[in-house]
Amino acid sequence: MTVGMESPIIPGKSFVADYVAPNYIVDDTIQRGRLLSLTGKTGHGKTAVMAYLAFCFAHGKEFGGRETEQGRVLFLAGENPDDVRARFLVCADVYGLAINENMHFLDGII
């Protein structure tokens, strides 16, 4: 270590002093303030799952048996916006949930 530099090692008490408990928007699953990504093979249901999650979150409905806080959704429909439109229309019909003011979309690639 170079003279005059502070050590990157800190005492345990200092390390845990700034702990903030997670705030979940879907109980024990998705935390507020985090950016998440869902990856998988083509045609394995990623868009369908995320469309349903978007509806649950926008309406404050349970998702997979877990309580969900109601809030706004931004769905990035960059890869195939027409497919996303169709899936959201089907999801709205099947689950009887409206595409409401909490649901927003970014159409196309940025």
Side-chain angles (χ1 to χ4, degrees):
M1 190 160 88
T2 306
V3 176
M5 291 186 65
E6 281 191 45
S7 171
I9 299 171
I10 57 176
K13 192 172 185 178
S14 297
F15 177 72
V16 299
D18 293 330
Y19 175 73
V20 176
N23 180 354
Y24 290 96
I25 58 174
V26 176
D27 275 354
D28 298 325
T29 306
I30 300 175
Q31 293 182 31
R32 176 178 304 288
R34 304 282 193 246
L35 176 64
L36 304 174
S37 172
L38 178 63
T39 60
K41 292 182 179 182
T42 301
H44 279 69
K46 299 178 301 293
T47 303
V49 168
M50 295 313 292
Y52 182 61
L53 174 59
F55 273 98
C56 290
F57 187 62
H59 289 273
K61 303 284 185 189
E62 281 190 358
F63 176 76
R66 296 181 185 273
E67 195 173 310
T68 303
E69 181 181 311
Q70 186 173 10
R72 291 181 295 171
V73 174
L74 174 61
F75 200 98
L76 307 178
E79 188 174 309
N80 189 346
D82 288 333
D83 180 61
V84 172
R85 284 183 187 95
R87 289 173 185 264
F88 271 82
L89 289 168
V90 168
C91 199
D93 186 52
V94 168
Y95 294 107
L97 297 170
I99 297 173
N100 68 15
E101 68 281 350
N102 285 334
M103 301 174 83
H104 305 275
F105 298 84
L106 186 56
D107 182 2
I109 297 171
I110 301 170

